[in-house]
Amino acid sequence: MAEAYIVDAVRTAGGKRGGKLAGWHPVDMAAAVLDAIVARTGIDGAAVDDVIMGCVMQGGQQAGQVGRNAVLAAKNLPDSVPAVSIDRQCGSSQQAMQFAAQAVMSGTQDIVIAAGVESMTRVPMGSTATLFMKEGLGNYKSPRLEEKYPGILFSQFMGAEMIVKKHGFDRAQLDAFALESHRRAAAATERGAFADEIIALDIETPEGVVAHATDEGIRFDATLESIGSVKLLQEGGSISAANASQICDGASAVLIVSEAALKAYGLTPIARIVNLTVTGGDPVIMLEEPLFATDRALQRAGMKIDDIDLYEVNEAFAPVPLAWLKHVGADHAKLNVNGGAIALGHPLGASGTKLMATMVHALKKSGGRYGLQTMCEGGGIANVTIIERV
């Protein structure tokens, strides 16, 4: 089978809900990362075979095929470039990346941009369901689904609490993990670790136009006391807003190409795709599937966890990466070395390619060879992508 290579990966700096990126329409934000990936790699925009864009809340300003609209809004891509928008919940743009790699590996396409966008300010989480319900148009839970899962509300929050209980964690452990996320993200920002992956977006301020190039959600002064003072989301539970991922606005993109495209356009790859895995499991506990998807990915790749130099496990809720570490037997020192979504934010459909941008650049800086990325997704699904630095 043909190989698929990553040439570059970029992301915006995260914006808090109602924060610095609130003034950006998500279509234009997505167009900005598409333009950046084309400009940085020097690829001819007309040579791009497809754009595959992840987006979870595909309504309002993200409706009407947001991926195609982003291409039409881009300056560096002609209208002849097609696009498709996909939703695999939090793993949407990681799946976009895997679809792009599969297209290249199959030989049907040579140059594909995988991307993701989510303005959680302008299209709030859950709004594509709640607005329909308010209009009396029903909800996603069909009679057959209700028969199979009677009385069950599929909830990521409840799934996180179930993981806490199943794996024997307590709030102190979750808060300590959250603090470490902020400390790592703060240290990474201060040493310029994100400089190669972040593309700055201009924002209007009372003092004039400034470039937004620093993740807005990092708490540089976070302490265990400040994190522990945040109210629990459920009485008797362990999850709080401080040990869960931050609502975030952002966009990201990865350029994936074939070996033929590398030669034809004089491109230099930074990584090779080693393994693409996606699995489905229990839709009720929901967020535990990365544990078992990682087992399968490593087995299929003929690798062990000790072969991997860096891991990015999305910090949707602190118990998810903690359970992953426990189950896989991984080294915490290699996990989310520049912080994760608890500090940096989780812009839903943009998080997959966002995490890849962080991992591939961190792998390059550290001189490591292999990286593994995974994330939990609504419905009990998980993607795993393994790459090799080249």
Side-chain angles (χ1 to χ4, degrees), residues 132-153:
F132 275 76
M133 286 189 281
K134 287 178 182 178
E135 292 297 318
L137 298 173
N139 63 40
Y140 67 89
K141 204 169 185 192
S142 72
R144 289 189 179 187
L145 193 55
E146 176 62 28
E147 182 181 355
K148 191 172 180 181
Y149 297 96
I152 291 175
L153 175 66

Side-chain angles (χ1 to χ4, degrees), residues 37-89:
I37 203 84
V38 172
R40 282 170 47 134
T41 59
I43 193 75
D44 179 1
V48 175
D49 291 308
D50 205 355
V51 171
I52 306 174
M53 185 163 292
C55 182
V56 177
M57 296 300 144
Q58 295 187 35
Q61 294 183 23
Q62 294 172 171
Q65 230 277 58
V66 65
R68 175 59 175 165
N69 290 339
V71 169
L72 297 179
K75 299 174 182 178
N76 294 338
L77 292 172
D79 294 353
S80 59
V81 175
V84 64
S85 304
I86 64 166
D87 172 14
R88 201 190 283 277
Q89 297 292 279

Side-chain angles (χ1 to χ4, degrees), residues 195-221:
D196 291 340
E197 67 197 63
I198 289 179
I199 61 136
L201 297 183
D202 288 339
I203 57 172
E204 296 281 352
T205 73
E207 292 74 34
V209 176
V210 299
H212 175 54
T214 301
D215 294 291
E216 192 177 8
I218 304 170
R219 297 185 180 95
F220 288 86
D221 59 351

Side-chain angles (χ1 to χ4, degrees), residues 15-329:
K16 296 177 71 172
R17 177 170 54 184
K20 293 185 177 180
L21 292 181
W24 273 80
H25 192 292
V27 168
D28 293 342
M29 189 160 52
V33 294
L34 296 181
D35 281 335
I37 203 84
V38 172
R40 282 170 47 134
T41 59
I43 193 75
D44 179 1
V48 175
D49 291 308
D50 205 355
V51 171
I52 306 174
M53 185 163 292
C55 182
V56 177
M57 296 300 144
Q58 295 187 35
Q61 294 183 23
Q62 294 172 171
Q65 230 277 58
V66 65
R68 175 59 175 165
N69 290 339
V71 169
L72 297 179
K75 299 174 182 178
N76 294 338
L77 292 172
D79 294 353
S80 59
V81 175
V84 64
S85 304
I86 64 166
D87 172 14
R88 201 190 283 277
Q89 297 292 279
C90 299
S92 294
S93 58
Q94 185 168 358
Q95 185 59 61
M97 190 165 55
Q98 295 194 180
F99 280 152
Q102 287 168 343
V104 168
M105 289 171 168
S106 72
T108 56
Q109 295 179 325
D110 288 300
I111 302 172
V112 184
I113 299 175
V117 66
E118 206 81 41
S119 176
M120 299 181 74
T121 295
R122 294 187 171 215
V123 190
M125 185 166 58
S127 60
T128 52
T130 57
L131 292 176
F132 275 76
M133 286 189 281
K134 287 178 182 178
E135 292 297 318
L137 298 173
N139 63 40
Y140 67 89
K141 204 169 185 192
S142 72
R144 289 189 179 187
L145 193 55
E146 176 62 28
E147 182 181 355
K148 191 172 180 181
Y149 297 96
I152 291 175
L153 175 66
F154 297 113
S155 164
Q156 294 197 29
F157 162 71
M158 293 305 298
E161 289 286 9
M162 291 171 71
I163 291 174
V164 172
K165 291 179 174 62
K166 179 176 177 178
H167 291 271
F169 301 135
D170 57 31
R171 182 179 182 176
Q173 290 171 291
L174 308 189
D175 287 351
F177 185 89
L179 177 62
E180 184 67 17
S181 182
H182 282 286
R183 286 179 172 172
R184 290 185 181 193
T189 299
E190 289 167 350
R191 69 174 183 271
F194 298 130
D196 291 340
E197 67 197 63
I198 289 179
I199 61 136
L201 297 183
D202 288 339
I203 57 172
E204 296 281 352
T205 73
E207 292 74 34
V209 176
V210 299
H212 175 54
T214 301
D215 294 291
E216 192 177 8
I218 304 170
R219 297 185 180 95
F220 288 86
D221 59 351
T223 64
L224 272 179
E225 290 72 26
S226 64
I227 290 172
S229 68
V230 176
K231 183 180 177 181
L232 292 172
L233 299 180
Q234 174 184 292
E235 187 176 349
S238 300
I239 303 294
S240 73
N243 58 41
S245 57
Q246 293 188 41
I247 290 173
C248 183
D249 301 334
S252 52
V254 175
L255 182 64
I256 298 177
V257 307
S258 66
E259 188 170 2
L262 291 177
K263 295 175 181 177
Y265 294 93
L267 301 170
T268 302
I270 55 177
R272 177 182 70 89
I273 303 291
V274 173
N275 177 265
L276 308 168
T277 294
V278 60
T279 66
D282 186 339
V284 181
I285 194 168
M286 191 182 298
L287 309 180
E288 199 180 30
E289 192 58 23
L291 285 58
F292 316 119
T294 298
D295 290 340
R296 184 172 180 183
L298 291 171
Q299 182 181 28
R300 293 178 64 193
M303 302 177 74
K304 297 179 180 178
I305 194 62
D306 291 343
D307 297 326
I308 308 296
D309 298 291
L310 292 178
Y311 340 113
E312 284 288 330
V313 180
N314 193 41
E315 296 174 1
F317 299 89
V320 176
L322 283 172
W324 183 88
L325 284 167
K326 176 182 173 184
H327 174 85
V328 177

